[in-house]
mmCIF file of all heavy atoms in Angstrom:
data_model
loop_
_atom_site.group_PDB
_atom_site.id
_atom_site.type_symbol
_atom_site.label_atom_id
_atom_site.label_comp_id
_atom_site.label_asym_id
_atom_site.label_seq_id
_atom_site.Cartn_x
_atom_site.Cartn_y
_atom_site.Cartn_z
ATOM 1 N N PRO A 89 101.140 77.005 103.563
ATOM 2 C CA PRO A 89 100.565 78.273 103.130
ATOM 3 C C PRO A 89 101.131 79.444 103.982
ATOM 4 O O PRO A 89 101.418 79.350 105.053
ATOM 5 C CB PRO A 89 99.066 78.100 103.468
ATOM 6 C CG PRO A 89 98.766 76.669 103.382
ATOM 7 C CD PRO A 89 100.000 76.056 103.942
ATOM 8 N N LEU A 90 101.341 80.458 103.249
ATOM 9 C CA LEU A 90 101.951 81.789 103.692
ATOM 10 C C LEU A 90 100.858 82.884 103.932
ATOM 11 O O LEU A 90 101.046 84.016 103.895
ATOM 12 C CB LEU A 90 103.037 82.363 102.908
ATOM 13 C CG LEU A 90 104.284 81.398 102.931
ATOM 14 C CD1 LEU A 90 105.311 81.972 102.002
ATOM 15 C CD2 LEU A 90 104.811 81.351 104.313
ATOM 16 N N PHE A 91 99.490 82.295 104.178
ATOM 17 C CA PHE A 91 98.464 83.172 104.580
ATOM 18 C C PHE A 91 97.637 82.120 105.532
ATOM 19 O O PHE A 91 97.874 81.044 105.635
ATOM 20 C CB PHE A 91 97.648 83.736 103.560
ATOM 21 C CG PHE A 91 96.942 82.600 102.595
ATOM 22 C CD1 PHE A 91 95.885 81.776 102.896
ATOM 23 C CD2 PHE A 91 97.438 82.476 101.243
ATOM 24 C CE1 PHE A 91 95.502 80.869 101.960
ATOM 25 C CE2 PHE A 91 96.842 81.530 100.403
ATOM 26 C CZ PHE A 91 95.873 80.735 100.728
ATOM 27 N N GLU A 92 96.847 82.938 106.346
ATOM 28 C CA GLU A 92 95.983 82.088 107.336
ATOM 29 C C GLU A 92 95.172 81.063 106.740
ATOM 30 O O GLU A 92 94.246 81.456 105.784
ATOM 31 C CB GLU A 92 95.180 82.959 108.167
ATOM 32 C CG GLU A 92 94.395 82.332 109.319
ATOM 33 C CD GLU A 92 93.757 83.123 110.274
ATOM 34 O OE1 GLU A 92 93.655 84.475 110.033
ATOM 35 O OE2 GLU A 92 93.303 82.636 111.234
ATOM 36 N N TYR A 93 95.174 79.849 106.993
ATOM 37 C CA TYR A 93 94.449 78.813 106.390
ATOM 38 C C TYR A 93 94.087 77.853 107.543
ATOM 39 O O TYR A 93 94.923 77.171 108.135
ATOM 40 C CB TYR A 93 95.202 77.993 105.308
ATOM 41 C CG TYR A 93 94.370 77.238 104.506
ATOM 42 C CD1 TYR A 93 93.805 77.655 103.256
ATOM 43 C CD2 TYR A 93 93.888 75.866 105.061
ATOM 44 C CE1 TYR A 93 93.092 76.652 102.510
ATOM 45 C CE2 TYR A 93 93.105 75.057 104.362
ATOM 46 C CZ TYR A 93 92.684 75.426 103.174
ATOM 47 O OH TYR A 93 91.866 74.704 102.443
ATOM 48 N N GLN A 94 92.845 77.758 107.954
ATOM 49 C CA GLN A 94 92.355 76.777 108.857
ATOM 50 C C GLN A 94 91.117 76.058 108.269
ATOM 51 O O GLN A 94 90.333 76.628 107.556
ATOM 52 C CB GLN A 94 91.888 77.538 110.206
ATOM 53 C CG GLN A 94 93.048 78.195 110.792
ATOM 54 C CD GLN A 94 92.779 78.573 112.254
ATOM 55 O OE1 GLN A 94 92.039 77.882 113.010
ATOM 56 N NE2 GLN A 94 93.364 79.750 112.517
ATOM 57 N N ARG A 95 91.025 74.727 108.630
ATOM 58 C CA ARG A 95 89.889 74.048 108.017
ATOM 59 C C ARG A 95 89.646 72.851 109.151
ATOM 60 O O ARG A 95 90.523 72.255 109.745
ATOM 61 C CB ARG A 95 90.318 73.348 106.756
ATOM 62 C CG ARG A 95 89.084 72.542 106.085
ATOM 63 C CD ARG A 95 89.510 72.084 104.727
ATOM 64 N NE ARG A 95 90.521 71.159 104.711
ATOM 65 C CZ ARG A 95 91.501 70.987 103.838
ATOM 66 N NH1 ARG A 95 91.531 71.808 102.649
ATOM 67 N NH2 ARG A 95 92.478 70.187 103.898
ATOM 68 N N GLU A 96 88.400 72.660 109.443
ATOM 69 C CA GLU A 96 87.994 71.630 110.316
ATOM 70 C C GLU A 96 88.681 71.676 111.667
ATOM 71 O O GLU A 96 89.097 70.629 112.223
ATOM 72 C CB GLU A 96 88.013 70.341 109.706
ATOM 73 C CG GLU A 96 87.190 70.153 108.469
ATOM 74 C CD GLU A 96 87.407 68.886 107.660
ATOM 75 O OE1 GLU A 96 88.290 68.028 108.101
ATOM 76 O OE2 GLU A 96 86.800 68.768 106.581
ATOM 77 N N GLY A 97 88.902 72.905 112.127
ATOM 78 C CA GLY A 97 89.530 72.983 113.463
ATOM 79 C C GLY A 97 91.023 72.884 113.423
ATOM 80 O O GLY A 97 91.674 72.876 114.481
ATOM 81 N N MET A 98 91.611 72.622 112.255
ATOM 82 C CA MET A 98 93.150 72.574 112.186
ATOM 83 C C MET A 98 93.796 73.584 111.487
ATOM 84 O O MET A 98 93.133 74.236 110.605
ATOM 85 C CB MET A 98 93.405 71.028 111.483
ATOM 86 C CG MET A 98 92.973 69.968 112.203
ATOM 87 S SD MET A 98 93.375 68.378 111.441
ATOM 88 C CE MET A 98 92.229 68.499 110.004
ATOM 89 N N LYS A 99 95.028 73.950 111.914
ATOM 90 C CA LYS A 99 95.684 75.079 111.241
ATOM 91 C C LYS A 99 96.775 74.457 110.286
ATOM 92 O O LYS A 99 97.430 73.588 110.464
ATOM 93 C CB LYS A 99 96.525 75.774 112.400
ATOM 94 C CG LYS A 99 97.373 76.867 111.902
ATOM 95 C CD LYS A 99 98.188 77.503 112.960
ATOM 96 C CE LYS A 99 99.288 76.633 113.492
ATOM 97 N NZ LYS A 99 100.386 76.398 112.467
ATOM 98 N N PHE A 100 96.803 74.892 109.061
ATOM 99 C CA PHE A 100 97.596 74.446 108.006
ATOM 100 C C PHE A 100 98.718 75.471 107.674
ATOM 101 O O PHE A 100 99.674 75.143 106.930
ATOM 102 C CB PHE A 100 96.803 74.221 106.810
ATOM 103 C CG PHE A 100 95.763 72.979 106.979
ATOM 104 C CD1 PHE A 100 94.627 73.097 107.490
ATOM 105 C CD2 PHE A 100 96.287 71.708 106.404
ATOM 106 C CE1 PHE A 100 93.871 72.025 107.630
ATOM 107 C CE2 PHE A 100 95.426 70.611 106.557
ATOM 108 C CZ PHE A 100 94.190 70.781 107.127
ATOM 109 N N HIS A 101 98.655 76.770 108.038
ATOM 110 C CA HIS A 101 99.559 77.778 107.630
ATOM 111 C C HIS A 101 100.917 77.787 108.492
ATOM 112 O O HIS A 101 100.919 77.241 109.621
ATOM 113 C CB HIS A 101 98.950 79.171 107.644
ATOM 114 C CG HIS A 101 98.286 79.498 108.922
ATOM 115 N ND1 HIS A 101 96.958 79.143 109.292
ATOM 116 C CD2 HIS A 101 98.828 80.164 110.008
ATOM 117 C CE1 HIS A 101 96.673 79.659 110.507
ATOM 118 N NE2 HIS A 101 97.835 80.090 111.055
#
Side-chain angles (χ1 to χ4, degrees):
L90 293 175
F91 57 72
E92 186 174 11
Y93 191 103
Q94 297 195 35
R95 184 175 63 211
E96 299 173 5
M98 294 184 286
K99 180 183 73 66
F100 290 83
H101 56 269

